[in-house]
Amino acid sequence: RMKYFTRLRVRRVYKWRGEPLSFNRKLKTCEYSSLSISVEGLPRTTVISTGQHILIEGEDEDNPYVARVIRLFESGKQKKAVVQWFVRVSEVPPSKLKLLGREPHPQEIFYYQGRSCDDEVNAESILRPVQVIVAAAFPDSDDKDTLYVKLSWDSKTFRVVDSASAEPAPASSPPPPPASRGPSRRALPTPDPAILRKASSGEAESLHSATKLSASKCLSAKRRNASARTPGVRKKLELSSPEKMTREDILSQLLDQELESDVALAQRLSSSPPRALPLTHSLTPLRKGSVCLKPSTVLLNKLSPSETESRDESSRSESTLTQGEVSFSRLVLFVLRVTTPSRKKESKTLREPALGVLAEVDNESSPMLPAAATPRSSKRKSAQLVSSRIRKQLNLLESRQDLDSDREDEDEFVPSKKELQSSSEEEEEEAEAGLDSDDEVVMKKSRHAAAGSRTPRSKQKSRSSTRTPRKTPNKKVAPGTPRTPRHATPSIPSRSLPARQPANVLEEARTRLHVSSVPESLPCREQEFQDIYSFVESKIIDGTGGCMYISGVPGTGKTATVHEVMRCLQHAADVDEIPPFHFIEINGMKMTDPHQAYVQILQKLTGQKATADHAAALLEKRFSNAAPRKESTVLLVDELDLLWTRKQNVMYNLFDWPTRRHARLVVLTIANTMDLPERIMINRVASRLGLTRMSFQPYSFKQLQQIITSRLNKVKAFEEDALQLVSRKVAALSGDARRCLDICRRATEICEHSSADPSATGLVGMSHVMEALNEMFSSAYVTAIKSSSSSGAVIAEFRRLGLEEVFVQHQALCRVEGLQPISVSEGLAVCQRLGACRLLLLEPSRLGVLQRIRLNVSQDDVLYALKAD
Amino acid sequence: MSKRKGKDAHLPVGECITLVQQILRERLCHQQLPDKPDGIEAQHKHLLELLKRTAVHGESNSVLIVGPRGAGKTMLLKCVLRDLLEEKEAQKNLLQVHLNGLLQTDDRIALKEITRQLHLENVVGDKVFGSFAENLAFLLEALKKGDRSSSRPVLFVLDEFDLFAHHKNQTLLYNLFDVSQSAQAPIAVVGVTCRLDVLELLEKRVKSRFSHRQIHLLSNLTFTEYLERVQTQLCLPDDFPDSKFAQDWNDSIQTLCEDKSVEEVLQRHFNSSKDFRSMHMLLMLCLSRVSVAKPAIKPADLLEASRLCFADAKANMLHGLSILELCLIIAMKHLNDVYEGEPFNLQMVHNEFKKFLQRKSNSMYNFDQPVIMKVCINMKPLSKFFLPFNSFPATRFLESNTLYCFRCSSAMIGRITVNIYIFCMKTDKFNIFPSKPITYTSCFSSPSGLRAPAAAGADPTG
């Protein structure tokens, strides 16, 4: 595996190579063409020159930033570089990854066209050069050293990358001399030969497996065939076409033609029985980089210096072929069809290692018929049939994958050492590399874990299925703690029958009045909306940070307003009015412990999972370091008071991060009490929270009425008076919009039930609303006393301290009323019952008759309830 | 069919009685849901409509069923669920989660239970993995992913709802109610509680998220309704195999309920509590007296059952005491009255006992202190009920068995406070004493005078 310099804990020395190209007097900057990086104690140096792709030190040591050098200059003794950024998959917000419409390749990067990142970096943060390829498809290689660009990302959409912009322009960046390049490569720890082989075979596999597809799969085979070769085509095109014709045009033209040619080829091939032969060979010259064909760039780093030279030569020679290249694949195939048997043999021996790997891969992916896929026999027709059958079966398996997902979870749950690895990517790599050796272990493990019901075969299957391109991004991004099943995607099973739609006006109204339905706009909170909006917007535009505290009693629309603001801002960002930003939300009530806040923030920000302490450290680093490019983050902390700890360090950090220079963090906090900062926060926390406060007043009855009206949105279900009654009543009591909506909903129900009698208008009237109000607000006690049995009522009548006295009184009363007096245990039982309803408060003890009781309701209530009888 | 009917029409009495016992017991022991909830039809309809809307329309709801113990809250819920599941659409979709505040004593356990019952993806077999925080995040994520129209509705039944309100921060309640008030997977939260003030237990933000729907089950039965209820509970169904026997049985029940003394007994029960459970208890006692020899419930049975139900447990305990034990208790009681509730020790009790004997020496043998000690130890289980020991560890009491400990333990025993109430003593207990019952009663005279209405006629000199 690759090791980065940072892991080695060495100091790097950065030096300019050569004389400054130019000197800018005004800015006092010197331009240089290349920079050499040497590691202390090692004789080799790495050279970075403009136009080259580099890795830049970032927060994540395993995934440094990727960029291309545009300028190198020295300004005031500081070595600087102007770069063009590329974004890794992990840097794209998970929500936006959906726009991709497919699973991103782990090695995929995106050409960054956003504007929110500073493109000037400190040259000393450069780690090393990296291989970046503009690819139309991704070879299945695991080489972490090669990255592929296919699309560009402007923080909103993915576009097909303009190859000219992604690749170094030939004019501006003269290719560095091979001599300097060689050592620089060697300066890196040389990749494991096994991986190398696999990388190359990865491509071989993609081609080879394509050839094995049966005619029914012809279409996809063609696509894969085509795409596997495009990198070469494009590279060449880019090197050899100085014409002014737009490159995309050429590219698309090329692709189209290639597709056509492939279709034609496929047709031709399907008619000719030994169709595997030519295709199988087609990969040989490609891979070998024989003189007549251009070597694919994927293999570039595996070529020896001499080969590199030959490559240069060949590419130059090929540049003459430019126009001919459109029929490149056809040509190749044509040539190969007439290849002599001797060549065939040679190619076969050459392919041997690759085939070995291929066999292994096939084994993995076709557990049902492991022996059938031996590649050597693939030439034979019968074997071909078998392999095509395997393919079909595989497809079936994949389609059945959903059903097996439970089982897969079980698999993934196996507490193996692999689970302990933090990086899932690493794990995957290892799983692949060590598959053979691990096989037995795996078997054992799976048997151990799966309660005997599963065979190792299914283990393999699930394993291979996780590596199919269909795997979801969150599966990969979220490495779990060892004890959780990592790949479990939480979901409630979906219903077998669709939910019914509202059928009549009242049902429609009820749906609209449900608190959960999101209204188009939030009436009556325009001022608050505007304030929050302008606050957050200004912070985002300035790229600064800040805190805001929002308070208000429950049900006054605090969270809804903030969400509305965020929706609007997101929209503004989408249409490019403001720079893009992240929006994260945490809720103090939705976590078990205040320190979980760190974990949740980190997870929502980066998708990483970590323990609370680790997450706090990572966030601290993230917000305090001057990362070269960073989007603003808006953090909404709901139910802030729940984040209170004794030392208040969670709150302290939340309010301290926005004050950091590079944090670009806007924190909006919501809580119920207006004076929360003064009451529970110690000074240093309250001071950091600042004085940007906002208070949501309870709704007045007019506002409540407006809210209901706007929600109903012309659905005529309520009488005007009824609405007014509800809103007045609620406004008088709490001003809670939720309450108001709930009462209205209840009223529609009552209306619906009573609509049986013909006099009803079908509208919710006063009587219905009154009933609903009574239901919700009437004191339960009075009804309870009314309905409690007479002894209970008698006992409850006395607000006495000792049960004994109550008994005596009760006896007297019984004599008066001519009832039989009750015994002690009976009386106690009655008291217990009333105590359970909390009509009485009882001493929690077994004191018996000495137990003290107290009335839990006011005496007036009792008298009222009894009088009403 | 007719053949069978003809045969069944003449079942032997024994079989009939067995059948009757079986049918009625099922009914009275709540093993069988009634076909229709009596007296709470409105509540039944309300709840059924509510849950149906969740199950069918995917509308989130929350509701509390409040009522005193034995009022039929769970019965109502079960009836509603039974009726709801008869509908195919609901049956196919609805997921149910049943929690009980007495079992899920904190949110961690409750979350695991929810996850287990929902068969979410982090369940392996019967176990739920992951930490508390992860479980919470997982569940919330799962609920968040769903939406109104596509995911299956989940019904959460929280029994002993008030206990959930005591969980830390009320996290579970907040989250459940929050889900029910936002556009996530449709859920219905049904809380069952007997506390009328349950809403005051909720935190204000939790309260605001609750829909404030409460279904009160407060029976305001009148006595006639109560009587009817008794009758219907005892009547045999129409599909009883032996129709003649059923007819006879029902007639006998009819006459039973019209009996004056029965009515009185039931009135008394009605006065003390209206709930079904105590009524069922009473009827159960009656039912168990039915046999082949006596194939009907007679008013006497009901009276006897009522006597059993109303029997005072504490007075009952005195029935089995020996004379010496009783004397000791009387002595303690006397001491208690004299010293006005001050603690005393065994020595004092013994002295009191001796004084007592001196006066009426002919009636009883003067026991030694060890015997008294032994008797006290034997009475220990009783003492739990009517001799509360204040901060006196039970084990120390046993140590007094040893000779050495005796002296010091007599000091330790001193912390006995005796509370015997007159009501217990004035039972027919004293008829057991053949000699001089009045002597014993005399020692109950107490300064207050209030407590000894029965001893009012006795001389207060003792």
Side-chain angles (χ1 to χ4, degrees):
Chain A
R1 213 147 305 132
M2 242 8 256
K3 278 185 190 164
Y4 296 117
F5 282 120
T6 45
R7 293 253 175 100
L8 299 176
R9 302 268 167 242
V10 287
R11 266 194 59 206
R12 275 159 296 180
V13 178
Y14 295 84
K15 273 191 198 129
W16 293 124
R17 270 171 63 92
E19 292 302 307
L21 293 178
S22 61
F23 180 70
N24 188 330
R25 279 169 193 279
K26 242 183 198 166
L27 296 169
K28 295 212 173 3
T29 54
C30 293
E31 297 266 351
Y32 289 88
S33 65
S34 57
L35 175 78
S36 73
I37 307 173
S38 62
V39 177
E40 243 180 29
L42 289 171
R44 302 160 197 147
T45 56
T46 310
V47 174
I48 306 286
S49 49
T50 51
Q52 209 169 356
H53 291 96
I54 49 168
L55 290 180
I56 293 180
E57 208 169 347
E59 287 144 22
D60 188 355
E61 287 192 359
D62 289 330
N63 289 312
Y65 292 131
V66 187
R68 182 160 60 79
V69 184
I70 293 173
R71 273 172 63 205
L72 290 166
F73 63 94
E74 179 161 319
S75 158
K77 297 282 176 212
Q78 274 206 317
K79 298 184 177 64
K80 297 270 180 141
V82 174
V83 293
Q84 165 61 49
W85 292 108
F86 289 84
V87 202
R88 281 179 190 267
V89 175
S90 56
E91 292 168 55
V92 179
S95 57
K96 301 281 188 181
L97 268 183
K98 285 179 216 136
L99 296 174
L100 200 56
R102 62 176 165 88
E103 306 308 326
H105 189 271
Q107 248 72 23
E108 183 169 2
I109 55 174
F110 306 104
Y111 183 75
Y112 186 74
Q113 289 184 318
R115 303 168 308 161
S116 65
C117 295
D118 193 3
D119 59 355
E120 192 178 295
V121 295
N122 191 343
E124 304 201 347
S125 63
I126 295 175
L127 290 177
R128 62 190 179 86
V130 71
Q131 182 81 19
V132 173
I133 293 166
V134 181
F138 312 106
D140 300 343
S141 91
D142 296 309
D143 187 2
K144 284 188 91 173
D145 237 13
T146 316
L147 299 163
Y148 305 94
V149 193
K150 192 175 180 185
L151 300 171
S152 73
W153 168 242
D154 61 353
S155 71
K156 272 163 229 80
T157 50
F158 293 101
R159 295 207 189 92
V160 175
V161 72
D162 181 3
S163 64
S165 49
E167 289 288 303
S172 67
S173 67
S180 71
R181 214 170 189 180
S184 79
R185 259 238 150 65
R186 257 178 269 120
L188 311 170
T190 43
D192 187 10
I195 294 179
L196 261 184
R197 193 165 3 107
K198 195 169 281 189
S200 57
S201 68
E203 202 197 9
E205 180 215 345
S206 75
L207 279 173
H208 181 81
S209 58
T211 64
K212 286 198 301 179
L213 285 177
S214 61
S216 64
K217 308 280 184 311
C218 216
L219 200 71
S220 63
K222 166 194 74 194
R223 248 181 234 141
R224 281 173 80 173
N225 247 341
S227 55
R229 244 170 286 135
T230 30
V233 177
R234 240 197 270 182
K235 176 87 180 172
K236 182 158 53 320
L237 164 84
E238 191 266 329
L239 281 172
S240 57
S241 59
E243 304 96 32
K244 286 294 158 230
M245 191 179 174
T246 58
R247 284 151 212 277
E248 271 129 325
D249 285 354
I250 295 177
L251 191 68
S252 57
Q253 202 184 337
L254 275 177
L255 279 171
D256 284 351
Q257 277 170 334
E258 200 170 31
L259 280 182
E260 272 170 32
S261 72
D262 270 339
V263 172
L265 173 74
Q267 279 165 355
R268 231 182 304 154
L269 284 180
S270 58
S271 57
S272 58
R275 56 172 253 275
L277 284 181
L279 271 172
T280 335
H281 289 291
S282 74
L283 72 107
T284 322
L286 245 186
R287 240 191 70 248
K288 272 304 284 176
S290 56
V291 263
C292 65
L293 289 168
K294 193 198 158 299
S296 117
T297 19
V298 190
L299 302 165
L300 209 125
N301 54 344
K302 289 136 214 161
L303 299 174
S304 63
S306 64
E307 270 175 328
T308 323
E309 274 169 16
S310 78
R311 183 197 76 113
D312 286 342
E313 202 180 281
S314 67
S315 64
R316 232 171 291 130
S317 71
E318 257 179 26
S319 64
T320 58
L321 284 174
T322 321
Q323 251 57 38
E325 273 315 301
V326 288
S327 56
F328 167 68
S329 54
R330 200 184 292 177
L331 176 84
V332 171
L333 290 165
F334 180 73
V335 167
L336 282 168
R337 262 219 251 173
V338 294
T339 39
T340 58
S342 68
R343 263 201 78 128
K344 212 195 277 178
K345 207 163 200 169
E346 180 191 312
S347 71
K348 194 174 143 192
T349 51
L350 272 170
R351 247 175 48 219
E352 208 115 72
L355 287 173
V357 180
L358 185 63
E360 178 191 311
V361 170
D362 265 2
N363 254 336
E364 271 170 51
S365 54
S366 59
M368 309 305 284
L369 293 164
T374 46
R376 228 167 283 188
S377 64
S378 68
K379 266 184 238 161
R380 284 196 310 250
K381 206 177 166 186
S382 60
Q384 235 172 322
L385 279 172
V386 170
S387 68
S388 78
R389 226 174 278 150
I390 295 169
R391 294 279 156 191
K392 270 180 201 156
Q393 232 153 357
L394 261 181
N395 278 11
L396 268 180
L397 278 178
E398 270 182 10
S399 67
R400 227 183 291 144
Q401 200 181 338
D402 297 18
L403 296 174
D404 288 349
S405 62
D406 297 14
R407 182 178 282 203
E408 186 183 321
D409 290 336
E410 270 178 56
D411 283 346
E412 297 306 330
F413 182 66
V414 180
S416 67
K417 60 171 190 253
K418 281 192 209 90
E419 299 273 343
L420 292 168
Q421 285 181 350
S422 56
S423 151
S424 61
E425 237 172 83
E426 245 178 34
E427 184 201 325
E428 236 157 67
E429 206 179 84
E430 178 175 305
E432 223 164 288
L435 191 71
D436 286 356
S437 57
D438 272 4
D439 249 357
E440 281 165 15
V441 188
V442 162
M443 277 184 187
K444 242 180 264 163
K445 269 179 210 152
S446 63
R447 217 175 281 145
H448 184 69
S453 69
R454 265 186 17 261
T455 56
R457 209 178 264 178
S458 70
K459 168 84 188 174
Q460 279 191 352
K461 183 191 73 193
S462 66
R463 190 195 263 267
S464 71
S465 66
T466 55
R467 268 194 284 116
T468 53
R470 291 208 298 156
K471 72 189 141 190
T472 52
N474 62 349
K475 272 187 182 176
K476 227 173 4 178
V477 176
T481 54
R483 292 201 59 226
T484 344
R486 292 174 38 228
H487 294 197
T489 42
S491 68
I492 296 286
S494 54
R495 49 195 299 158
S496 50
L497 294 167
R500 244 185 244 164
Q501 290 304 309
N504 57 33
V505 178
L506 285 175
E507 281 180 13
E508 174 72 31
R510 205 152 50 221
T511 324
R512 285 166 183 271
L513 286 174
H514 198 280
V515 186
S516 69
S517 69
V518 181
E520 294 91 37
S521 68
L522 285 173
C524 315
R525 289 291 180 222
E526 290 83 6
Q527 186 55 47
E528 287 85 354
F529 176 87
Q530 199 51 49
D531 289 353
I532 301 175
Y533 188 92
S534 45
F535 175 81
V536 179
E537 189 190 30
S538 66
K539 299 290 180 202
I540 290 176
I541 290 175
D542 298 349
T544 54
C547 292
M548 186 178 212
Y549 177 73
I550 301 167
S551 65
V553 293
T556 47
K558 302 176 294 295
T559 313
T561 308
V562 174
H563 278 148
E564 185 71 16
V565 167
M566 284 307 142
R567 263 199 301 279
C568 290
L569 283 172
Q570 205 81 58
H571 181 73
D574 284 345
V575 297
D576 256 356
E577 281 168 13
I578 57 168
F581 64 95
H582 278 299
F583 173 55
I584 312 172
E585 185 185 0
I586 59 170
N587 188 324
M589 273 295 216
K590 293 187 178 169
M591 53 188 72
T592 52
D593 176 78
H595 296 280
Q596 287 291 319
Y598 298 129
V599 180
Q600 294 201 359
I601 294 173
L602 186 74
Q603 197 188 352
K604 285 173 182 166
L605 210 54
T606 65
Q608 290 172 285
K609 262 190 180 177
T611 62
D613 290 340
H614 189 213
L618 285 177
L619 286 173
E620 176 77 29
K621 195 174 153 199
R622 182 184 172 101
F623 287 123
S624 48
N625 283 6
R629 61 159 190 267
K630 192 184 274 178
E631 293 182 344
S632 287
T633 309
V634 181
L635 173 65
L636 169 62
V637 185
D638 216 340
E639 314 292 0
L640 176 71
D641 46 335
L642 266 297
L643 295 184
W644 187 88
T645 52
R646 215 164 51 78
K647 283 179 153 179
Q648 308 198 355
N649 40 9
V650 178
M651 284 205 250
Y652 178 86
N653 278 335
L654 282 182
F655 301 140
D656 192 39
W657 289 331
T659 62
R660 308 274 168 81
R661 212 181 120 226
H662 303 288
R664 293 192 172 192
L665 177 68
V666 186
V667 178
L668 302 173
T669 55
I670 296 182
N672 289 136
T673 39
M674 198 152 68
D675 56 345
L676 187 82
E678 284 75 32
R679 270 199 307 129
I680 67 167
M681 292 182 198
I682 48 179
N683 286 338
R684 57 193 162 100
V685 178
S687 130
R688 275 169 175 77
L689 174 56
L691 291 170
T692 321
R693 307 258 174 104
M694 174 172 293
S695 166
F696 279 62
Q697 298 304 320
Y699 290 110
S700 72
F701 84 91
K702 274 192 181 145
Q703 288 173 322
L704 286 174
Q705 210 172 335
Q706 202 184 334
I707 289 170
I708 304 175
T709 325
S710 81
R711 282 219 177 207
L712 282 175
N713 194 19
K714 299 205 185 74
V715 173
K716 183 70 184 152
F718 278 81
E719 284 173 15
E720 204 55 41
D721 293 348
L723 276 189
Q724 191 154 357
L725 177 69
V726 173
S727 39
R728 274 186 191 273
K729 190 93 182 176
V730 174
L733 281 165
S734 61
D736 188 337
R738 290 195 188 108
R739 192 75 325 97
C740 195
L741 294 173
D742 281 334
I743 291 172
C744 288
R745 267 178 55 212
R746 178 69 189 131
T748 60
E749 279 165 31
I750 295 171
C751 177
E752 199 169 36
H753 291 171
S754 64
S755 66
D757 70 287
S759 66
T761 53
L763 289 187
V764 181
M766 288 290 267
S767 58
H768 306 128
V769 171
M770 278 306 284
E771 206 179 324
L773 282 171
N774 280 339
E775 250 175 50
M776 298 223 178
F777 288 118
S778 73
S779 160
Y781 288 124
V782 176
T783 29
I785 293 170
K786 268 186 199 168
S787 60
S788 68
S789 57
S790 62
S791 316
V794 170
I795 287 182
E797 199 174 327
F798 301 97
R799 188 205 278 269
R800 290 300 161 120
L801 290 183
L803 187 56
E804 236 176 327
E805 285 86 349
V806 175
F807 272 122
V808 176
Q809 290 280 1
H810 179 234
Q811 274 174 346
L813 214 86
C814 283
R815 272 188 217 115
V816 170
E817 300 207 350
L819 293 171
Q820 213 178 349
I822 54 167
S823 73
V824 174
S825 22
E826 205 180 332
L828 275 176
V830 172
C831 285
Q832 294 287 359
R833 257 201 318 272
L834 294 175
C837 305
R838 290 300 188 277
L839 277 172
L840 293 180
L841 294 180
L842 303 177
E843 261 188 350
S845 69
R846 45 185 170 80
L847 282 174
V849 84
L850 289 186
Q851 193 175 23
R852 278 195 291 203
I853 61 171
R854 201 156 59 81
L855 204 54
N856 197 24
V857 270
S858 82
Q859 229 158 357
D860 296 339
D861 277 353
V862 179
L863 288 178
Y864 170 77
L866 291 176
K867 206 158 54 183
D869 277 352
Chain B
M1 186 70 189
S2 64
K3 191 179 159 193
R4 215 174 114 202
K5 200 175 178 181
K7 199 182 84 185
D8 286 354
H10 301 291
L11 280 178
V13 183
E15 265 181 51
C16 284
I17 296 292
T18 327
L19 265 176
V20 167
Q21 294 267 16
Q22 193 190 335
I23 292 172
L24 294 187
R25 268 187 194 161
E26 267 181 12
R27 203 185 278 166
L28 298 179
C29 294
H30 314 279
Q31 286 175 346
Q32 201 182 30
L33 287 175
D35 297 330
K36 273 196 142 188
D38 302 324
I40 44 172
E41 286 86 2
Q43 286 95 332
H44 180 266
K45 194 178 174 201
H46 184 180
L47 189 61
L48 183 62
E49 288 291 317
L50 196 75
L51 295 187
K52 207 183 260 176
R53 278 209 305 279
T54 303
V56 177
H57 293 282
E59 178 185 303
S60 293
N61 277 311
S62 49
V63 68
L64 272 181
I65 305 176
V66 188
R69 294 208 183 278
K73 303 179 290 291
T74 313
M75 188 266 290
L76 169 70
L77 184 64
K78 278 184 181 163
C79 279
V80 167
L81 281 182
R82 182 193 60 192
D83 296 350
L84 184 68
L85 292 183
E86 275 169 13
E87 202 164 319
K88 207 175 156 208
E89 204 171 338
Q91 190 192 357
K92 273 195 170 171
N93 286 329
L94 196 68
L95 294 167
Q96 294 187 32
V97 177
H98 291 265
L99 302 176
N100 191 321
L102 293 168
L103 297 177
Q104 281 80 39
T105 48
D106 65 15
D107 283 346
R108 177 192 307 264
I109 305 170
L111 274 179
K112 288 208 168 179
E113 186 62 23
I114 293 174
T115 323
R116 199 181 63 74
Q117 291 192 20
L118 280 180
H119 301 293
L120 289 185
E121 285 79 357
N122 57 349
V123 178
V124 178
D126 238 6
K127 285 210 172 95
V128 181
F129 292 93
S131 69
F132 182 28
E134 281 169 343
N135 278 337
L136 181 65
F138 194 88
L139 182 69
L140 290 178
E141 189 62 31
L143 290 172
K144 209 175 190 174
K145 275 211 176 155
D147 72 354
R148 208 190 129 172
S149 46
S150 69
S151 33
R152 291 174 72 173
V154 189
L155 171 69
F156 288 91
V157 177
L158 308 179
D159 222 337
E160 307 292 345
F161 180 83
D162 46 320
L163 296 179
F164 285 97
H166 294 304
H167 294 179
K168 191 189 162 220
N169 287 344
Q170 305 186 346
T171 310
L172 181 74
L173 293 184
Y174 178 92
N175 286 313
L176 286 183
F177 286 144
D178 196 51
V179 172
S180 84
Q181 299 244 314
S182 51
Q184 301 178 2
I187 68 167
V189 185
V190 180
V192 180
T193 180
C194 67
R195 283 187 66 163
L196 297 170
D197 60 344
V198 66
L199 281 190
E200 284 149 46
L201 296 176
L202 297 180
E203 221 193 320
K204 55 183 184 302
R205 48 195 152 203
V206 182
K207 198 173 165 185
S208 165
R209 280 167 173 77
F210 171 57
S211 72
H212 280 241
R213 268 170 214 270
Q214 296 188 59
I215 298 178
H216 286 285
L217 287 182
L218 300 164
S219 64
N220 34 12
L221 289 177
T222 59
F223 179 63
T224 34
E225 282 167 344
Y226 188 78
L227 212 57
E228 266 172 36
R229 180 70 58 80
V230 172
Q231 201 174 331
T232 49
Q233 287 289 322
L234 284 178
C235 276
L236 286 178
D238 293 335
D239 59 348
F240 191 76
D242 191 338
S243 56
K244 189 174 174 303
F245 182 88
Q247 187 63 40
D248 289 350
W249 173 271
N250 288 349
D251 286 346
S252 76
I253 297 296
Q254 177 82 27
T255 46
L256 175 80
C257 290
E258 282 161 4
D259 191 285
K260 205 77 197 144
S261 59
V262 169
E263 215 164 284
E264 248 171 54
V265 168
L266 289 178
Q267 176 80 50
R268 203 178 153 199
H269 269 272
F270 176 73
N271 283 350
S272 78
S273 77
K274 285 177 179 175
D275 67 25
F276 302 138
R277 211 165 275 177
S278 65
M279 181 181 87
H280 287 156
M281 182 63 98
L282 181 77
L283 298 182
M284 194 68 190
L285 286 170
C286 298
L287 183 68
S288 54
R289 289 172 158 264
V290 171
S291 64
V292 180
K294 201 164 67 67
I297 299 178
K298 295 273 179 286
D301 298 332
L302 200 68
L303 291 181
E304 181 61 31
S306 149
R307 210 176 56 75
L308 275 175
C309 276
F310 281 121
D312 197 316
K314 307 225 157 139
N316 266 350
M317 283 193 306
L318 290 178
H319 281 278
L321 293 186
S322 71
I323 294 175
L324 176 59
E325 284 166 341
L326 205 57
C327 286
L328 284 178
I329 288 176
I330 291 167
M332 287 174 194
K333 166 67 186 158
H334 201 195
L335 274 177
N336 197 36
D337 286 345
V338 169
Y339 296 108
E340 289 177 342
E342 287 293 305
F344 49 84
N345 59 23
L346 195 59
Q347 194 63 49
M348 290 162 80
V349 173
H350 194 204
N351 288 343
E352 191 68 25
F353 179 62
K354 274 193 285 191
K355 243 196 280 175
F356 183 57
L357 286 183
Q358 275 160 19
R359 263 186 283 137
K360 320 276 174 195
S361 52
N362 53 346
S363 65
M364 194 172 271
Y365 179 70
N366 187 2
F367 292 103
D368 292 337
Q369 190 137 6
V371 179
I372 305 274
M373 179 68 202
K374 191 75 188 167
V375 168
C376 277
I377 290 169
N378 281 342
M379 283 205 307
K380 209 193 122 220
L382 287 181
S383 69
K384 278 206 168 160
F385 296 99
F386 58 63
L387 309 177
F389 290 86
N390 291 344
S391 67
F392 183 76
T395 45
R396 305 299 289 274
F397 204 101
L398 293 175
E399 278 171 31
S400 59
N401 246 342
T402 60
L403 201 61
Y404 171 74
C405 284
F406 180 62
R407 267 180 66 203
C408 60
S409 74
S410 69
M412 276 188 267
I413 284 173
R415 301 208 156 268
I416 303 171
T417 317
V418 185
N419 302 294
I420 311 169
Y421 21 88
I422 285 315
F423 306 113
C424 315
M425 285 312 193
K426 79 172 198 291
T427 52
D428 54 351
K429 180 72 196 170
F430 298 102
N431 300 336
I432 308 168
F433 290 81
S435 59
K436 301 184 183 94
I438 215 74
T439 332
Y440 290 91
T441 355
S442 64
C443 59
F444 288 112
S445 57
S446 58
S448 70
L450 177 80
R451 304 178 180 195
D459 59 329
T461 51

